[in-house]
Amino acid sequence: MTTENPDWIPKHHCLYENDIILDKSMIPFTPQLRSMECRDDDIFVCTWPKCGTTWMQAIVMNIMNDADMSGVSKDLSKSFPMLEYMIKDPEELISTMSNLKIPDVRDLPSPRTMKTHMPLRYLPKDIQEQRKKPKIIYVTRNPKDTVVSLYHFDMAIQLKELGDEEYLKLTFHQYLERFFHNNCFYGSYWDHTLDFWNRRHWENVLFLTYEDMLIDPRSHVEKIAKFLGKKLTVKQIDAITIETSFKKMEKNTMFNYESWKMTTPFMRKGKAGDWKRHFTVEESERMDKLYEEKFGGTGLQHIFEV
């Protein structure tokens, strides 16, 4: 069976530029991302998938709007677009596949708020060469919970036009093997994380961990607001902390991707430690060994249970 081969590439993915696994639907959007001209007041939320991206989007949006979201577009593809997937939901892509129009990021008003899962090497040269200094918030999450969350997300999108029946048969253990082989889309979790970790000292980069945010969300709202140059009142900080809690966000149609018609909720757990329900002892030990090989000596450390 092809799914038992961890190097097998499903039909809805491709090896982009012989380098990185991407969903085929993302390919039309990538040239603009790579060539775009940045502005110093741009705000980028950068993550490997399922590391707290939407949570950070909600925090940033609330901060930039002074805890008042009443006048903000409920369509995240417009108010906080994903640069390699600038559509509202997968069904929109299906309906426009033959006549896809790429929204022009130059049309977005400043300060532009944008997200991406693309590795640093695929981001604009303005960022890589520090010709411009947009604000970049990077969120990382422990790899065990990350791969569990990505597996459930990937299996929940079952649109036949975009999916792959063989792919949807993957067990978690088969999926994990693909992670070990860097054969998940967006490529290596390890390289992606380290590229930003090694630039954490840049004045325009704020590097955060998902688990630290879980432990003390309020102080992180304060830290992010300060990084973005926003002076908020205690009342506004408190309000944002509440509005961006998991309980609030899982019911908020602006952030819970309800329109995607997934077989399981987009916001599934929102905690650290769920990996224990999925990993065997052998798999956990294998991940621990790989973690030490990749991150040992770098100073980067994740928390695996909160």
Side-chain angles (χ1 to χ4, degrees), residues 140-155:
T140 183
R141 186 181 190 182
N142 82 68
K144 293 180 181 180
D145 280 315
T146 296
V147 68
V148 167
S149 184
L150 185 58
Y151 170 73
H152 286 288
F153 171 78
D154 237 0
M155 297 301 109

Side-chain angles (χ1 to χ4, degrees), residues 65-68 221 231-241:
N65 289 280
D66 301 315
D68 181 6
V221 171
K231 294 182 179 180
L232 302 179
T233 66
V234 171
K235 186 176 180 180
Q236 287 171 326
I237 293 290
D238 289 340
I240 293 171
T241 304

Side-chain angles (χ1 to χ4, degrees), residues 180 190 285-295:
F180 284 136
W190 314 100
E285 291 175 348
R286 183 179 174 188
M287 183 71 87
D288 292 342
K289 182 179 179 181
L290 184 58
Y291 187 94
E292 182 58 30
E293 289 175 2
K294 297 294 186 178
F295 291 163

Side-chain angles (χ1 to χ4, degrees), residues 67-270:
D68 181 6
M69 297 283 283
S70 59
V72 180
S73 169
K74 304 300 182 185
D75 183 353
L76 274 183
S77 67
K78 292 182 173 62
S79 58
F80 210 129
M82 179 176 172
L83 291 172
E84 64 271 27
Y85 201 70
M86 294 178 69
I87 57 173
K88 186 175 182 179
D89 58 53
E91 289 192 341
E92 179 185 343
L93 181 66
I94 293 168
S95 64
T96 61
M97 204 174 287
S98 60
N99 188 29
L100 184 64
K101 182 179 179 181
I102 309 299
D104 194 333
V105 293
R106 292 175 297 182
D107 294 337
L108 297 174
S110 293
R112 298 181 297 187
T113 52
M114 301 162 283
K115 80 169 184 179
T116 182
H117 296 310
M118 293 294 280
L120 181 66
R121 65 185 179 276
Y122 285 100
L123 297 191
K125 292 296 183 183
D126 279 351
I127 290 176
Q128 296 186 52
E129 299 174 4
Q130 293 189 284
R131 297 194 298 238
K132 295 287 185 180
K133 294 186 178 180
K135 300 292 188 183
I136 298 171
I137 303 174
Y138 189 85
V139 188
T140 183
R141 186 181 190 182
N142 82 68
K144 293 180 181 180
D145 280 315
T146 296
V147 68
V148 167
S149 184
L150 185 58
Y151 170 73
H152 286 288
F153 171 78
D154 237 0
M155 297 301 109
I157 302 177
Q158 300 200 19
L159 292 173
K160 292 181 180 179
E161 296 88 343
L162 297 178
D164 185 320
E165 290 184 5
E166 287 296 304
Y167 189 71
L168 295 175
K169 294 177 183 176
L170 287 173
T171 66
F172 170 73
H173 307 289
Q174 291 171 327
Y175 196 90
L176 178 60
E177 193 64 33
R178 296 174 66 81
F179 179 89
F180 284 136
H181 283 243
N182 296 326
N183 201 24
C184 294
F185 65 145
Y186 291 106
S188 168
Y189 159 91
W190 314 100
D191 294 345
H192 195 295
T193 306
L194 282 175
D195 277 346
F196 284 92
W197 173 250
N198 290 335
R199 289 160 179 82
R200 66 192 183 281
H201 299 305
W202 285 7
E203 62 181 347
N204 63 314
V205 173
L206 179 63
F207 192 100
L208 303 172
T209 74
Y210 182 90
E211 293 79 20
D212 285 344
M213 290 173 62
L214 282 177
I215 292 169
D216 190 355
R218 191 184 188 283
S219 73
H220 280 79
V221 171
E222 289 182 299
K223 182 183 292 187
I224 296 160
K226 182 179 180 180
F227 176 71
L228 295 176
K230 293 288 289 184
K231 294 182 179 180
L232 302 179
T233 66
V234 171
K235 186 176 180 180
Q236 287 171 326
I237 293 290
D238 289 340
I240 293 171
T241 304
I242 293 170
E243 286 302 313
T244 57
S245 66
F246 184 84
K247 287 185 178 180
K248 281 279 189 177
M249 286 187 62
E250 69 175 339
K251 298 175 183 177
N252 187 333
T253 56
M254 185 175 186
F255 299 111
N256 66 11
Y257 289 89
E258 191 175 73
S259 66
W260 281 33
K261 301 175 182 177
M262 300 170 71
T263 56
T264 57
F266 174 77
M267 293 188 174
R268 196 179 58 89
K269 295 285 185 178

